[in-house]
Amino acid sequence: MAHVKLHIPGPVEVSSKTFQAMTRPMIGHRGQGFKDLYAGIQPRLQTLLQTQQLVYLSTSSAWGVMEGALTNLTSKKVLNCMCGAFSDKWFDVSKKLGKDAEALQVPWGSPIRAEQIDARLATGHFDALTLIHNETSTGTMSPLAEIAGLKTKYPEVMFIIDAVSSMTAVPIAFDALGIDVLLAGTQKAFALPPGLAVFVCSPAALARAATIKTRGYYFDVLEFEKNARENMTPSTPSISHIHALDSKLDDFFAEGLDARFDRHNRTNQMLRDWASRHGLTLFPEVGFESKTLVCINNGAKLGGRVIDAIKLQKNMKDRGVLIDAGYGKIKGTTFRISNMGDETVSSISDLIVQLDESIAGL
Ligand SMILES: *Cc1c(COP(=O)(O)O)cnc(C)c1O
């Protein structure tokens, strides 16, 4: 069957170099070979995330770590900041875990703002909050630095940040931000296959976890910390994914992190320019657009030409490319195109030709 290239906002296209790295012979996860592999990865992840803390590797998708962060770090009340499908779901996860949770809900497409969080935290009821840096369902990026600035005012509140679709595409300085957990799954901006998550905890988060008796087993952050000190993971990891991560980090540093961030900026701008050339607007509030995808309004609100997102998706698929026809309650009224991972000015130029042809055929 012909391959359909992924331009959905995760999973994204995986290079053959990366797949090749996954075929390295299996090794034991308690042996020197694995420890050397992890030890080789660790400093590059620390540079990427601008942290002195150990970076952990979890064999799970992002939701495992998202659930684990709540299990490990909150015993009082959690504030779930909600502005789209993924951040809304985190509130359900809190409730399913039996946590006392409160929703800070803004309309989809709006970012979360620091003053909204400040007003809730001022009640003194909370010991944790969850925030999605880049809400993938709506293509909206919340102002992380502005929000993290609240941490000094509320040191007892654990700031748990999902950067699933922004980590590696935009700079995130973990230590300088002063946040407590930063996590991502590898199938988005890392451009690895799904099945691995990368995360880091602050010293304050580890101290908080030590006060919580029911941290669970698989996502016990103190076990991650203890094992990471020995360049190991608590349980048998997906070693093949970790080989792929090793190879991918080679790519990141060969390109240079600043060049990588700049490339995402440029390719994202190309997609935004394409939308405006066709008289289409972006779904997120102006000034808070994601750098890793575009979530485009289908035009119905403008009263002009309306794009049939499902048909556009089909036309693109006929050309061998998969885009997304909108997520959850904005399915059909929006569509999304990803520029995460290995996409370049050249590959996005090709994509734009295909988009032009597909939109002309509607
Ligand atoms: C994709 C995504 C998730 C879910 O990740 P899984 O890998 O399915 O667990 C969570 N948060 C954001 C922002 C995402 O984009």
Side-chain angles (χ1 to χ4, degrees):
M1 228 171 65
H3 174 60
V4 176
K5 187 183 174 194
L6 298 182
H7 268 285
I8 53 172
V12 305
E13 197 68 8
V14 176
S15 72
S16 46
K17 175 176 181 279
T18 297
F19 280 128
Q20 202 55 45
M22 297 187 84
T23 66
R24 287 181 199 154
M26 197 42 61
I27 52 176
H29 66 298
R30 300 294 179 219
Q32 197 56 43
F34 181 79
K35 291 182 183 184
D36 291 346
L37 174 64
Y38 195 176
I41 286 171
Q42 184 63 256
R44 286 177 289 163
L45 286 175
Q46 288 173 314
T47 303
L48 177 69
L49 303 181
Q50 299 182 53
T51 184
Q52 311 270 348
Q53 295 295 105
L54 292 173
V55 181
Y56 312 137
L57 304 176
S58 169
T59 298
S60 65
S61 80
W63 275 113
V65 179
M66 290 162 82
E67 176 170 323
L70 290 176
T71 313
N72 276 262
L73 300 180
T74 170
S75 59
K76 209 160 103 183
K77 191 171 186 182
V78 56
L79 181 67
N80 296 114
C81 302
M82 296 152 60
C83 62
F86 292 105
S87 47
D88 289 5
K89 203 194 253 185
W90 220 342
F91 180 56
D92 293 334
V93 173
S94 300
K95 288 187 294 186
K96 283 188 178 175
L97 288 170
K99 297 291 177 190
D100 191 3
E102 190 173 304
L104 194 179
Q105 178 86 64
V106 301
W108 283 28
S110 294
I112 301 287
R113 302 305 303 263
E115 59 265 25
Q116 298 162 335
I117 295 179
D118 193 8
R120 298 293 182 96
L121 296 187
T123 61
H125 295 160
F126 300 96
D127 65 352
L129 68 81
T130 67
L131 176 84
I132 291 190
H133 178 214
N134 191 53
E135 175 49 73
T136 320
S137 64
T138 65
T140 307
M141 204 172 262
S142 286
L144 181 56
E146 172 190 307
I147 291 164
L150 291 170
K151 179 68 194 184
T152 46
K153 192 168 169 191
Y154 303 103
E156 73 290 356
V157 178
M158 295 287 115
F159 281 44
I160 305 168
I161 315 294
D162 163 335
V164 174
S165 58
S166 55
M167 186 187 286
T168 86
V170 301
I172 305 176
F174 181 74
D175 290 357
L177 286 169
I179 54 181
D180 296 292
V181 179
L182 180 69
L183 68 99
T186 57
Q187 79 275 25
K188 306 269 171 93
F190 277 94
L192 296 175
L196 190 70
V198 169
F199 72 111
V200 57
C201 291
S202 67
L206 296 174
R208 168 66 59 79
T211 71
I212 306 256
K213 297 276 173 284
T214 50
R215 295 189 297 277
Y217 176 73
Y218 195 72
F219 295 107
D220 181 348
V221 298
L222 298 185
E223 284 297 321
F224 274 92
E225 172 65 20
K226 196 176 95 191
N227 278 278
R229 287 177 190 277
E230 310 288 328
N231 293 308
M232 289 192 293
T233 53
S235 49
T236 319
S238 174
I239 295 168
S240 304
H241 272 94
I242 298 173
H243 279 303
L245 176 60
D246 182 32
S247 161
K248 202 73 222 173
L249 287 166
D250 286 346
D251 299 346
F252 290 1
F253 285 91
E255 179 180 16
L257 294 180
D258 287 341
R260 180 177 175 80
F261 301 145
D262 182 55
R263 175 166 59 78
H264 280 87
N265 260 327
R266 288 199 287 159
T267 51
N268 188 257
Q269 189 60 49
M270 289 168 76
L271 291 172
R272 291 174 62 172
D273 291 346
W274 173 81
S276 65
R277 267 205 308 285
H278 288 277
L280 298 168
T281 54
L282 296 194
F283 181 76
E285 199 176 306
V286 173
F288 300 95
E289 299 88 351
S290 168
K291 302 280 187 197
T292 59
L293 72 142
V294 284
C295 180
I296 301 173
N297 289 314
N298 72 345
K301 273 201 214 123
L302 297 176
R305 179 176 177 208
V306 178
I307 302 298
D308 182 337
I310 307 288
K311 217 164 154 208
L312 178 66
Q313 183 187 44
K314 187 184 173 302
N315 287 357
M316 285 299 280
K317 202 169 172 195
D318 290 344
R319 287 170 172 74
V321 180
L322 188 66
I323 65 167
D324 173 85
Y327 194 107
K329 66 184 180 191
I330 54 173
K331 189 174 179 67
T333 59
T334 62
F335 58 96
R336 301 178 302 160
I337 308 166
S338 160
N339 61 294
M340 286 176 225
D342 300 336
E343 300 309 328
T344 61
V345 167
S346 157
S347 73
I348 296 292
S349 299
D350 294 346
L351 178 74
I352 283 172
V353 171
Q354 293 166 316
L355 283 165
D356 281 336
E357 288 170 5
S358 297
I359 210 166
L362 285 182

